[in-house]
Amino acid sequence: MRIRGNLFYKLDRHSKEYQEYSFDFHRRKKKGDDARESGKRESLAKNEQTKESKRNEDSSPVEAKRTTLIAKNGKAYTLMNDVSGSVAEEMRKKVRTLTFNQLTAPYHEPFCLDIHISNASARASVIHRGTSKVVAVAHSISKDIKFDMGSTRNEATCRAVGQILAQRALEDDIHNVVYTPRRGERLEGKLQIVLQSIIDSGLSVKVKLKQRKHKKKLSLPQ
């Protein structure tokens, strides 16, 4: 509180006047203040000591096992170093920067084709690669196909799904599409029927097949 003449008013905590009158010597220290501060410091120091002791206890059995391995077999230490070094080299090789073509492909070829064949239905869709939005889709369980066709998964239905998708894509002024099969998929059966019907309906599809690279086996030094 601040008194001025016969009036008194409350100071705002954010004002400069409050900061000027908020020194420690304006407030009387009580007898228990020093004891409380020292108690807080002691409790913090004890907590830190307990945490450090727990960390040391957790790490001690692992270090003991390592020392026993090194003591029993002199080659264990070298083997561990060799294996860790080879794993680190593999991790470095996996981290790679994308090429110019990989970075610019979503802009040169903005639309991709997605075909999913399940035990119950067939679905084909055109997706914009930049925004990941579905531009056109045809599904065998949709009302316009399900009631006209006898089944939702036979060859005739797959052919109809491809024709309808190509028609809807051409209406949206989409003429070129990129298709990359999923991992483990083969261009055969119903998948091939859907893809061939899309191509026959006037949509040009560029199929990209991923080349598998054989992994080299790690040979531990003897």
Side-chain angles (χ1 to χ4, degrees), residues 2-211:
R2 177 76 188 276
I3 299 169
R4 180 174 291 177
N6 296 327
L7 300 174
F8 64 91
Y9 58 92
K10 195 172 182 180
L11 292 173
D12 188 11
R13 287 185 175 237
H14 301 288
S15 64
K16 291 183 179 180
E17 200 171 1
Y18 178 81
Q19 293 175 5
E20 291 174 359
Y21 286 89
S22 63
F23 294 111
D24 292 334
F25 57 81
H26 283 281
R27 149 177 103 77
R28 291 182 181 178
K29 288 187 177 181
K30 294 180 181 179
K31 292 181 180 179
D33 288 348
D34 297 332
R36 285 174 189 171
E37 289 178 0
S38 61
K40 285 180 181 179
R41 289 172 186 172
E42 289 176 0
S43 63
L44 288 170
K46 286 180 182 179
N47 290 332
E48 288 178 358
Q49 287 177 0
T50 52
K51 286 178 181 178
E52 287 178 0
S53 62
K54 285 181 180 179
R55 287 173 187 169
N56 293 329
E57 287 176 1
D58 294 337
S59 62
S60 59
V62 178
E63 290 177 358
K65 286 180 182 178
R66 286 178 181 172
T67 51
T68 51
L69 275 170
I70 293 163
K72 286 181 181 178
N73 190 2
K75 293 180 180 179
Y77 186 70
T78 56
L79 282 170
M80 286 167 67
N81 284 338
D82 293 336
V83 171
S84 62
S86 60
V87 171
E89 286 178 2
E90 281 195 352
M91 291 296 288
R92 286 173 190 168
K93 288 178 182 177
K94 285 180 182 178
V95 176
R96 61 185 180 84
T97 56
L98 295 174
T99 61
F100 179 77
N101 290 333
Q102 289 172 341
L103 290 168
T104 56
Y107 303 99
H108 294 301
E109 298 164 347
F111 297 102
C112 66
L113 178 66
D114 180 44
I115 301 170
H116 179 66
I117 309 292
S118 66
N119 294 328
S121 63
R123 187 189 75 239
S125 58
V126 177
I127 302 167
H128 188 257
R129 297 171 75 181
T131 58
S132 300
K133 288 184 178 180
V134 178
V135 181
V137 65
H139 205 288
S140 63
I141 62 171
S142 59
K143 291 181 181 179
D144 54 351
I145 300 174
K146 183 168 65 174
F147 295 115
D148 294 338
M149 309 299 293
S151 175
T152 58
R153 56 179 182 175
N154 59 2
E155 292 182 4
T157 305
C158 292
R159 200 173 287 106
V161 166
Q163 290 173 0
I164 291 166
L165 179 73
Q167 183 182 355
R168 289 175 180 173
L170 291 169
E171 285 175 0
D172 293 334
D173 199 17
I174 298 167
H175 301 278
N176 299 315
V177 176
V178 180
Y179 175 65
T180 54
R182 290 186 178 89
R183 189 175 182 180
E185 283 185 346
R186 295 181 180 178
L187 294 176
E188 58 185 18
K190 294 176 183 177
L191 181 66
Q192 187 180 2
I193 291 168
V194 175
L195 188 63
Q196 191 62 42
S197 65
I198 291 168
I199 294 165
D200 294 340
S201 300
L203 198 68
S204 67
V205 181
K206 184 180 179 181
V207 181
K208 287 187 176 182
L209 298 173
K210 292 182 180 178
Q211 294 180 355

